[in-house]
């Protein structure tokens, strides 16, 4: 059985897509210990592929119950693939989660939803370029109008390579993350090492608790993080947030074109 985790922002069309991909063959329950709905279903025409719907989230921080549930599933259960659905009419904001999903080192397929509305807006997104930059398949779909779902299903059924970590961070941060990965190398599963390093850099409390660092390791981690914080005169979490958004802006500058408006044409 191959398991695909469906992840995306609230209102990106996750439920509509889940229903379209699985039809009526769904199982609904709750995530263990919490009253957050858990739904899973078989991919149509692919009995051997299970789609696991995750709670809608904006990031992989541990601040809401939904974020805790979704990231625990992604990191601990290690699904075979992540189907990331983004709202194509709000791509910049939605890619914030995508950059974090790519850090999990799992194969990712990106579905850019609301193709009908994107078309109507006159804006264009170069899917090939986006796919090349992110290193994962990018499929334009409309979950509501059932467009692009055959192509999406074909990508989900294929084996996909593990996504490459996005180039979100500036050299100082990249170097700090490399040092943290060395520090954590024998503490976490190798495929999740990069993700844990990012979370340790952010001083994510849940991750730090789980890592059980000894005092010397804690001191070394703090030294690595504090050095970068001094360089940027900012706290670690904000440094990563800012650099993720800068990265998304750079990506979109190369592949997103806003419809020319009357005022821009007259210039
Ligand atoms: P969720 O919160 O991510 O589960 O999102 P839903 O599936 O509930 O969808 C949110 C809203 O977007 C609903 O009103 C859907 O009908 C609508 N929606 C979903 N997919 C599409 C689409 O491809 N095109 C359009 N126009 N609306 C969509
Ligand atoms: K909703
Ligand atoms: Mg929903």
């Amino acid at each position: 059985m191959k398991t695909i985790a469906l992840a995306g922002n609230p209102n990106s069309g996750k439920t509509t897509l889940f229903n379209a991909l699985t039809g009526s063959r769904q199982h609904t329950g709750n995530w263990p210990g919490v009253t957050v709905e858990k739904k899973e279903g078989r991919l149509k025409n692919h009995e051997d592929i299970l789609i696991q719907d995750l709670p809608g989230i904006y990031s992989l921080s541990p601040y809401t119950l939904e974020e805790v549930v979704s990231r625990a599933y992604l990191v601990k259960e290690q699904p075979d693939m992540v189907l990331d659905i983004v709202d194509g009419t709000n791509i910049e904001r939605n890619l914030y989660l995508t950059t974090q999903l790519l850090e999990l080192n799992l194969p990712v397929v990106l579905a850019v939803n609301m193709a009908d509305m994107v078309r109507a807006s006159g804006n264009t997104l170069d899917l090939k370029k986006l796919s090349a930059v992110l290193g994962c398949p990018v499929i334009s779909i409309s979950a509501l109008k059932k467009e692009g779902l055959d192509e999406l299903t074909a990508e989900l059924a294929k084996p996909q390579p593990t996504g490459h970590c996005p180039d979100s961070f500036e050299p100082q941060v990249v170097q700090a993350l490399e040092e943290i990965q060395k520090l954590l190398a024998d503490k976490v599963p190798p495929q999740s090492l990069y993700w844990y390093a990012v979370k340790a850099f952010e001083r994510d409390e849940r991750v730090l608790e789980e890592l059980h660092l000894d005092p010397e390791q804690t001191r070394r981690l703090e030294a690595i993080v504090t050095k970068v914080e001094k360089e940027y005169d900012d706290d670690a979490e904000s440094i990563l947030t800012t650099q993720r958004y800068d990265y998304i802006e750079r990506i979109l500058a190369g592949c997103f074109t806003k419809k020319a408006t009357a005022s821009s044409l007259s210039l």
Side-chain angles (χ1 to χ4, degrees), residues 185-233:
D186 54 1
K187 295 200 149 269
V188 298
Q191 72 271 21
S192 307
L193 183 56
Y194 185 80
W195 186 82
Y196 275 96
V198 171
K199 290 295 147 188
F201 182 88
E202 289 180 325
R203 298 194 188 85
D204 183 297
E205 274 182 32
R206 278 172 192 263
V207 160
L208 291 182
E209 259 171 46
E210 183 191 330
L211 287 172
H212 292 298
L213 300 179
D214 65 33
E216 173 57 16
Q217 291 166 327
T218 302
R219 193 197 60 73
R220 283 167 59 197
L221 173 63
E222 261 310 300
I224 295 167
V225 177
T226 316
K227 179 167 173 258
V228 180
E229 288 180 319
K230 286 215 178 94
E231 282 171 4
Y232 283 96
D233 192 21

Tab-separated table of all heavy atoms in Angstrom, residues 185-233:
chain	number	residue	atom	x	y	z
A	185	ALA	N	23.253	14.424	13.799
A	185	ALA	CA	23.315	13.317	12.836
A	185	ALA	C	22.918	11.961	13.420
A	185	ALA	O	22.251	11.174	12.761
A	185	ALA	CB	24.695	13.244	12.214
A	186	ASP	N	23.328	11.671	14.672
A	186	ASP	CA	23.000	10.335	15.181
A	186	ASP	C	21.751	10.351	16.067
A	186	ASP	O	21.488	9.420	16.812
A	186	ASP	CB	24.205	9.727	15.921
A	186	ASP	CG	24.719	10.639	17.016
A	186	ASP	OD1	24.120	11.732	17.212
A	186	ASP	OD2	25.712	10.269	17.678
A	187	LYS	N	20.983	11.428	16.007
A	187	LYS	CA	19.821	11.545	16.893
A	187	LYS	C	18.489	11.393	16.167
A	187	LYS	O	17.453	11.189	16.792
A	187	LYS	CB	19.820	12.918	17.589
A	187	LYS	CG	20.998	13.102	18.525
A	187	LYS	CD	20.687	14.199	19.518
A	187	LYS	CE	21.379	13.967	20.840
A	187	LYS	NZ	20.605	13.211	21.785
A	188	VAL	N	18.507	11.568	14.855
A	188	VAL	CA	17.241	11.539	14.116
A	188	VAL	C	17.418	10.695	12.849
A	188	VAL	O	18.547	10.487	12.400
A	188	VAL	CB	16.776	12.973	13.728
A	188	VAL	CG1	16.518	13.815	14.966
A	188	VAL	CG2	17.777	13.655	12.816
A	189	PRO	N	16.306	10.203	12.271
A	189	PRO	CA	16.435	9.422	11.037
A	189	PRO	C	17.079	10.278	9.940
A	189	PRO	O	16.746	11.462	9.822
A	189	PRO	CB	14.978	9.106	10.657
A	189	PRO	CG	14.163	9.353	11.881
A	189	PRO	CD	14.904	10.371	12.697
A	190	PRO	N	18.022	9.693	9.171
A	190	PRO	CA	18.780	10.482	8.200
A	190	PRO	C	17.893	11.250	7.218
A	190	PRO	O	18.204	12.390	6.861
A	190	PRO	CB	19.638	9.452	7.457
A	190	PRO	CG	19.258	8.120	7.990
A	190	PRO	CD	18.448	8.293	9.219
A	191	GLN	N	16.758	10.661	6.809
A	191	GLN	CA	15.933	11.343	5.786
A	191	GLN	C	15.277	12.604	6.356
A	191	GLN	O	14.888	13.494	5.603
A	191	GLN	CB	14.895	10.384	5.178
A	191	GLN	CG	13.746	10.005	6.089
A	191	GLN	CD	14.053	8.774	6.939
A	191	GLN	OE1	15.219	8.420	7.152
A	191	GLN	NE2	13.019	8.131	7.462
A	192	SER	N	15.164	12.703	7.701
A	192	SER	CA	14.524	13.875	8.310
A	192	SER	C	15.522	14.850	8.913
A	192	SER	O	15.137	15.818	9.570
A	192	SER	CB	13.558	13.425	9.421
A	192	SER	OG	12.668	12.474	8.941
A	193	LEU	N	16.829	14.572	8.703
A	193	LEU	CA	17.862	15.366	9.372
A	193	LEU	C	17.744	16.856	9.045
A	193	LEU	O	17.831	17.703	9.933
A	193	LEU	CB	19.245	14.825	8.974
A	193	LEU	CG	20.459	15.481	9.617
A	193	LEU	CD1	20.383	15.449	11.135
A	193	LEU	CD2	21.749	14.796	9.145
A	194	TYR	N	17.530	17.190	7.773
A	194	TYR	CA	17.448	18.606	7.394
A	194	TYR	C	16.272	19.283	8.101
A	194	TYR	O	16.406	20.378	8.641
A	194	TYR	CB	17.313	18.738	5.867
A	194	TYR	CG	17.335	20.170	5.391
A	194	TYR	CD1	18.541	20.858	5.253
A	194	TYR	CD2	16.148	20.845	5.094
A	194	TYR	CE1	18.562	22.180	4.821
A	194	TYR	CE2	16.168	22.167	4.670
A	194	TYR	CZ	17.371	22.829	4.537
A	194	TYR	OH	17.398	24.135	4.129
A	195	TRP	N	15.111	18.603	8.113
A	195	TRP	CA	13.918	19.182	8.748
A	195	TRP	C	14.176	19.442	10.245
A	195	TRP	O	13.863	20.509	10.764
A	195	TRP	CB	12.706	18.254	8.564
A	195	TRP	CG	11.441	18.882	9.070
A	195	TRP	CD1	10.653	19.779	8.411
A	195	TRP	CD2	10.845	18.696	10.352
A	195	TRP	NE1	9.595	20.159	9.202
A	195	TRP	CE2	9.682	19.520	10.404
A	195	TRP	CE3	11.160	17.920	11.470
A	195	TRP	CZ2	8.838	19.583	11.513
A	195	TRP	CZ3	10.320	17.984	12.584
A	195	TRP	CH2	9.189	18.802	12.603
A	196	TYR	N	14.792	18.451	10.920
A	196	TYR	CA	15.080	18.628	12.350
A	196	TYR	C	16.072	19.771	12.561
A	196	TYR	O	15.966	20.518	13.535
A	196	TYR	CB	15.620	17.333	12.964
A	196	TYR	CG	14.535	16.389	13.411
A	196	TYR	CD1	14.102	15.344	12.609
A	196	TYR	CD2	13.913	16.552	14.653
A	196	TYR	CE1	13.093	14.480	13.017
A	196	TYR	CE2	12.908	15.689	15.075
A	196	TYR	CZ	12.501	14.659	14.246
A	196	TYR	OH	11.499	13.823	14.662
A	197	ALA	N	17.026	19.906	11.658
A	197	ALA	CA	18.014	20.988	11.810
A	197	ALA	C	17.321	22.350	11.709
A	197	ALA	O	17.607	23.264	12.488
A	197	ALA	CB	19.111	20.857	10.750
A	198	VAL	N	16.386	22.473	10.754
A	198	VAL	CA	15.650	23.732	10.613
A	198	VAL	C	14.859	24.018	11.887
A	198	VAL	O	14.862	25.140	12.411
A	198	VAL	CB	14.705	23.684	9.385
A	198	VAL	CG1	13.787	24.899	9.355
A	198	VAL	CG2	15.502	23.597	8.086
A	199	LYS	N	14.194	22.991	12.402
A	199	LYS	CA	13.367	23.187	13.604
A	199	LYS	C	14.240	23.490	14.832
A	199	LYS	O	13.863	24.286	15.687
A	199	LYS	CB	12.490	21.961	13.858
A	199	LYS	CG	11.391	21.794	12.833
A	199	LYS	CD	10.396	22.936	12.906
A	199	LYS	CE	9.847	23.245	11.542
A	199	LYS	NZ	9.017	24.457	11.520
A	200	ALA	N	15.402	22.841	14.915
A	200	ALA	CA	16.304	23.122	16.039
A	200	ALA	C	16.813	24.555	15.939
A	200	ALA	O	16.934	25.257	16.955
A	200	ALA	CB	17.468	22.127	16.047
A	201	PHE	N	17.084	25.011	14.706
A	201	PHE	CA	17.521	26.397	14.507
A	201	PHE	C	16.449	27.363	15.004
A	201	PHE	O	16.748	28.384	15.619
A	201	PHE	CB	17.816	26.634	13.017
A	201	PHE	CG	18.314	28.024	12.696
A	201	PHE	CD1	19.665	28.319	12.750
A	201	PHE	CD2	17.427	29.035	12.348
A	201	PHE	CE1	20.136	29.604	12.462
A	201	PHE	CE2	17.882	30.319	12.057
A	201	PHE	CZ	19.240	30.600	12.121
A	202	GLU	N	15.175	27.016	14.749
A	202	GLU	CA	14.052	27.865	15.194
A	202	GLU	C	13.780	27.740	16.693
A	202	GLU	O	12.860	28.359	17.190
A	202	GLU	CB	12.776	27.458	14.447
A	202	GLU	CG	12.738	27.828	12.990
A	202	GLU	CD	11.420	27.389	12.332
A	202	GLU	OE1	10.866	26.337	12.689
A	202	GLU	OE2	10.952	28.122	11.455
A	203	ARG	N	14.516	26.884	17.376
A	203	ARG	CA	14.278	26.559	18.788
A	203	ARG	C	12.855	26.060	19.022
A	203	ARG	O	12.189	26.442	19.977
A	203	ARG	CB	14.526	27.765	19.700
A	203	ARG	CG	15.946	28.314	19.686
A	203	ARG	CD	16.166	29.250	20.862
A	203	ARG	NE	17.435	29.938	20.788
A	203	ARG	CZ	17.630	31.075	20.108
A	203	ARG	NH1	16.616	31.627	19.446
A	203	ARG	NH2	18.819	31.652	20.108
A	204	ASP	N	12.392	25.218	18.119
A	204	ASP	CA	11.065	24.611	18.231
A	204	ASP	C	11.020	23.748	19.503
A	204	ASP	O	11.775	22.784	19.642
A	204	ASP	CB	10.832	23.755	16.990
A	204	ASP	CG	9.471	23.124	16.941
A	204	ASP	OD1	9.149	22.308	17.826
A	204	ASP	OD2	8.734	23.435	16.007
A	205	GLU	N	10.141	24.137	20.410
A	205	GLU	CA	10.159	23.502	21.741
A	205	GLU	C	9.879	22.013	21.692
A	205	GLU	O	10.503	21.228	22.410
A	205	GLU	CB	9.145	24.186	22.664
A	205	GLU	CG	9.744	25.391	23.351
A	205	GLU	CD	8.764	26.052	24.306
A	205	GLU	OE1	7.931	25.343	24.889
A	205	GLU	OE2	8.847	27.281	24.447
A	206	ARG	N	8.910	21.621	20.861
A	206	ARG	CA	8.578	20.199	20.773
A	206	ARG	C	9.760	19.393	20.256
A	206	ARG	O	10.061	18.303	20.752
A	206	ARG	CB	7.387	19.986	19.845
A	206	ARG	CG	6.081	20.230	20.524
A	206	ARG	CD	4.925	20.195	19.548
A	206	ARG	NE	3.738	20.722	20.201
A	206	ARG	CZ	2.808	19.990	20.768
A	206	ARG	NH1	2.915	18.676	20.773
A	206	ARG	NH2	1.770	20.544	21.362
A	207	VAL	N	10.429	19.937	19.252
A	207	VAL	CA	11.575	19.231	18.683
A	207	VAL	C	12.721	19.190	19.692
A	207	VAL	O	13.357	18.147	19.887
A	207	VAL	CB	12.008	19.878	17.346
A	207	VAL	CG1	13.430	19.511	16.969
A	207	VAL	CG2	11.042	19.458	16.234
A	208	LEU	N	12.979	20.300	20.384
A	208	LEU	CA	14.078	20.311	21.364
A	208	LEU	C	13.817	19.305	22.486
A	208	LEU	O	14.731	18.597	22.912
A	208	LEU	CB	14.282	21.720	21.934
A	208	LEU	CG	14.843	22.748	20.936
A	208	LEU	CD1	15.048	24.096	21.625
A	208	LEU	CD2	16.147	22.272	20.292
A	209	GLU	N	12.569	19.211	22.928
A	209	GLU	CA	12.217	18.216	23.955
A	209	GLU	C	12.514	16.813	23.455
A	209	GLU	O	13.081	15.985	24.166
A	209	GLU	CB	10.716	18.290	24.254
A	209	GLU	CG	10.364	19.034	25.525
A	209	GLU	CD	8.853	19.248	25.607
A	209	GLU	OE1	8.100	18.283	25.363
A	209	GLU	OE2	8.454	20.392	25.883
A	210	GLU	N	12.113	16.573	22.221
A	210	GLU	CA	12.256	15.237	21.641
A	210	GLU	C	13.725	14.863	21.446
A	210	GLU	O	14.096	13.695	21.574
A	210	GLU	CB	11.520	15.246	20.290
A	210	GLU	CG	11.499	13.913	19.590
A	210	GLU	CD	10.999	14.049	18.143
A	210	GLU	OE1	10.179	14.957	17.869
A	210	GLU	OE2	11.458	13.245	17.313
A	211	LEU	N	14.578	15.861	21.196
A	211	LEU	CA	15.975	15.568	20.868
A	211	LEU	C	16.817	15.189	22.089
A	211	LEU	O	17.835	14.521	21.953
A	211	LEU	CB	16.614	16.779	20.162
A	211	LEU	CG	16.165	17.015	18.716
A	211	LEU	CD1	16.714	18.344	18.202
A	211	LEU	CD2	16.612	15.864	17.808
A	212	HIS	N	16.376	15.593	23.284
A	212	HIS	CA	17.152	15.294	24.509
A	212	HIS	C	18.629	15.625	24.357
A	212	HIS	O	19.488	14.758	24.568
A	212	HIS	CB	17.030	13.809	24.886
A	212	HIS	CG	15.659	13.412	25.327
A	212	HIS	ND1	15.044	13.951	26.432
A	212	HIS	CD2	14.781	12.545	24.807
A	212	HIS	CE1	13.846	13.423	26.572
A	212	HIS	NE2	13.643	12.569	25.594
A	213	LEU	N	18.939	16.837	23.951
A	213	LEU	CA	20.355	17.212	23.819
A	213	LEU	C	21.000	17.278	25.210
A	213	LEU	O	20.357	17.680	26.171
A	213	LEU	CB	20.470	18.580	23.135
A	213	LEU	CG	19.885	18.689	21.728
A	213	LEU	CD1	20.052	20.109	21.205
A	213	LEU	CD2	20.546	17.686	20.785
A	214	ASP	N	22.270	16.881	25.286
A	214	ASP	CA	22.971	17.040	26.570
A	214	ASP	C	23.431	18.505	26.677
A	214	ASP	O	23.378	19.244	25.690
A	214	ASP	CB	24.108	16.014	26.718
A	214	ASP	CG	25.229	16.206	25.717
A	214	ASP	OD1	25.500	17.384	25.349
A	214	ASP	OD2	25.843	15.205	25.292
A	215	PRO	N	23.883	18.933	27.863
A	215	PRO	CA	24.210	20.355	28.040
A	215	PRO	C	25.243	20.867	27.039
A	215	PRO	O	25.132	21.996	26.551
A	215	PRO	CB	24.758	20.413	29.470
A	215	PRO	CG	24.134	19.261	30.170
A	215	PRO	CD	23.977	18.190	29.134
A	216	GLU	N	26.226	20.044	26.699
A	216	GLU	CA	27.244	20.475	25.744
A	216	GLU	C	26.645	20.666	24.348
A	216	GLU	O	26.937	21.647	23.654
A	216	GLU	CB	28.400	19.450	25.723
A	216	GLU	CG	29.469	19.676	24.666
A	216	GLU	CD	30.153	21.053	24.732
A	216	GLU	OE1	30.035	21.751	25.768
A	216	GLU	OE2	30.789	21.435	23.711
A	217	GLN	N	25.776	19.757	23.937
A	217	GLN	CA	25.115	19.882	22.627
A	217	GLN	C	24.202	21.108	22.605
A	217	GLN	O	24.146	21.830	21.605
A	217	GLN	CB	24.299	18.620	22.319
A	217	GLN	CG	25.179	17.395	22.056
A	217	GLN	CD	24.392	16.098	22.080
A	217	GLN	OE1	23.420	15.959	22.831
A	217	GLN	NE2	24.819	15.143	21.267
A	218	THR	N	23.499	21.331	23.709
A	218	THR	CA	22.622	22.503	23.800
A	218	THR	C	23.439	23.777	23.673
A	218	THR	O	23.057	24.723	22.986
A	218	THR	CB	21.875	22.504	25.156
A	218	THR	OG1	21.142	21.282	25.247
A	218	THR	CG2	20.918	23.679	25.276
A	219	ARG	N	24.608	23.802	24.334
A	219	ARG	CA	25.468	24.979	24.272
A	219	ARG	C	25.955	25.212	22.855
A	219	ARG	O	25.960	26.335	22.354
A	219	ARG	CB	26.668	24.776	25.228
A	219	ARG	CG	27.477	26.037	25.510
A	219	ARG	CD	28.855	25.740	26.103
A	219	ARG	NE	29.682	24.918	25.239
A	219	ARG	CZ	30.271	25.327	24.103
A	219	ARG	NH1	30.127	26.574	23.700
A	219	ARG	NH2	30.999	24.491	23.373
A	220	ARG	N	26.334	24.131	22.158
A	220	ARG	CA	26.820	24.284	20.786
A	220	ARG	C	25.714	24.759	19.848
A	220	ARG	O	25.931	25.616	19.007
A	220	ARG	CB	27.437	22.966	20.290
A	220	ARG	CG	28.836	22.767	20.899
A	220	ARG	CD	29.363	21.376	20.717
A	220	ARG	NE	29.461	20.970	19.311
A	220	ARG	CZ	29.586	19.700	18.925
A	220	ARG	NH1	29.620	18.746	19.818
A	220	ARG	NH2	29.682	19.414	17.647
A	221	LEU	N	24.508	24.206	20.028
A	221	LEU	CA	23.369	24.637	19.199
A	221	LEU	C	23.107	26.128	19.415
A	221	LEU	O	22.965	26.893	18.452
A	221	LEU	CB	22.121	23.809	19.542
A	221	LEU	CG	20.811	24.257	18.871
A	221	LEU	CD1	20.890	24.135	17.350
A	221	LEU	CD2	19.628	23.419	19.388
A	222	GLU	N	23.044	26.532	20.664
A	222	GLU	CA	22.787	27.945	20.983
A	222	GLU	C	23.849	28.854	20.351
A	222	GLU	O	23.537	29.932	19.847
A	222	GLU	CB	22.763	28.150	22.498
A	222	GLU	CG	21.376	28.198	23.113
A	222	GLU	CD	20.419	29.159	22.397
A	222	GLU	OE1	20.723	30.370	22.342
A	222	GLU	OE2	19.392	28.709	21.880
A	223	ALA	N	25.118	28.392	20.409
A	223	ALA	CA	26.207	29.203	19.849
A	223	ALA	C	26.014	29.388	18.345
A	223	ALA	O	26.195	30.492	17.808
A	223	ALA	CB	27.558	28.542	20.154
A	224	ILE	N	25.609	28.315	17.665
A	224	ILE	CA	25.409	28.378	16.206
A	224	ILE	C	24.263	29.350	15.884
A	224	ILE	O	24.378	30.215	15.008
A	224	ILE	CB	25.080	26.973	15.634
A	224	ILE	CG1	26.268	26.019	15.802
A	224	ILE	CG2	24.672	27.074	14.161
A	224	ILE	CD1	25.940	24.545	15.566
A	225	VAL	N	23.159	29.220	16.625
A	225	VAL	CA	21.964	30.025	16.333
A	225	VAL	C	22.200	31.495	16.700
A	225	VAL	O	21.887	32.411	15.924
A	225	VAL	CB	20.726	29.464	17.078
A	225	VAL	CG1	19.503	30.342	16.818
A	225	VAL	CG2	20.452	28.031	16.665
A	226	THR	N	22.783	31.713	17.862
A	226	THR	CA	22.990	33.086	18.330
A	226	THR	C	23.911	33.872	17.393
A	226	THR	O	23.723	35.066	17.182
A	226	THR	CB	23.593	33.076	19.757
A	226	THR	OG1	22.905	32.106	20.518
A	226	THR	CG2	23.449	34.420	20.429
A	227	LYS	N	24.914	33.168	16.853
A	227	LYS	CA	25.842	33.829	15.921
A	227	LYS	C	25.063	34.411	14.732
A	227	LYS	O	25.267	35.563	14.339
A	227	LYS	CB	26.883	32.809	15.442
A	227	LYS	CG	27.889	33.351	14.455
A	227	LYS	CD	29.054	32.363	14.290
A	227	LYS	CE	29.984	32.801	13.189
A	227	LYS	NZ	29.810	32.066	11.922
A	228	VAL	N	24.150	33.618	14.170
A	228	VAL	CA	23.360	34.091	13.019
A	228	VAL	C	22.403	35.213	13.454
A	228	VAL	O	22.221	36.203	12.742
A	228	VAL	CB	22.579	32.920	12.368
A	228	VAL	CG1	21.765	33.409	11.181
A	228	VAL	CG2	23.528	31.809	11.943
A	229	GLU	N	21.820	35.062	14.632
A	229	GLU	CA	20.894	36.101	15.116
A	229	GLU	C	21.597	37.440	15.273
A	229	GLU	O	21.042	38.491	14.955
A	229	GLU	CB	20.272	35.655	16.455
A	229	GLU	CG	19.257	34.540	16.277
A	229	GLU	CD	18.635	34.092	17.590
A	229	GLU	OE1	19.364	33.973	18.599
A	229	GLU	OE2	17.429	33.851	17.608
A	230	LYS	N	22.845	37.391	15.721
A	230	LYS	CA	23.617	38.631	15.874
A	230	LYS	C	23.885	39.247	14.510
A	230	LYS	O	23.757	40.445	14.316
A	230	LYS	CB	24.942	38.348	16.589
A	230	LYS	CG	24.777	38.090	18.082
A	230	LYS	CD	25.953	38.634	18.914
A	230	LYS	CE	25.736	38.413	20.403
A	230	LYS	NZ	26.376	37.140	20.862
A	231	GLU	N	24.248	38.381	13.530
A	231	GLU	CA	24.550	38.881	12.183
A	231	GLU	C	23.355	39.597	11.562
A	231	GLU	O	23.493	40.589	10.870
A	231	GLU	CB	24.986	37.733	11.264
A	231	GLU	CG	26.426	37.314	11.514
A	231	GLU	CD	26.819	36.038	10.764
A	231	GLU	OE1	26.001	35.512	9.985
A	231	GLU	OE2	27.945	35.583	10.985
A	232	TYR	N	22.147	39.036	11.810
A	232	TYR	CA	20.940	39.621	11.201
A	232	TYR	C	20.221	40.586	12.143
A	232	TYR	O	19.244	41.211	11.740
A	232	TYR	CB	19.964	38.513	10.787
A	232	TYR	CG	20.357	37.813	9.514
A	232	TYR	CD1	21.070	36.612	9.547
A	232	TYR	CD2	20.018	38.337	8.267
A	232	TYR	CE1	21.424	35.958	8.382
A	232	TYR	CE2	20.363	37.694	7.094
A	232	TYR	CZ	21.072	36.500	7.156
A	232	TYR	OH	21.421	35.858	6.007
A	233	ASP	N	20.657	40.636	13.392
A	233	ASP	CA	19.958	41.428	14.399
A	233	ASP	C	18.454	41.106	14.405
A	233	ASP	O	17.601	41.993	14.342
A	233	ASP	CB	20.172	42.932	14.141
A	233	ASP	CG	19.699	43.763	15.337
A	233	ASP	OD1	19.605	43.208	16.451
A	233	ASP	OD2	19.388	44.958	15.138
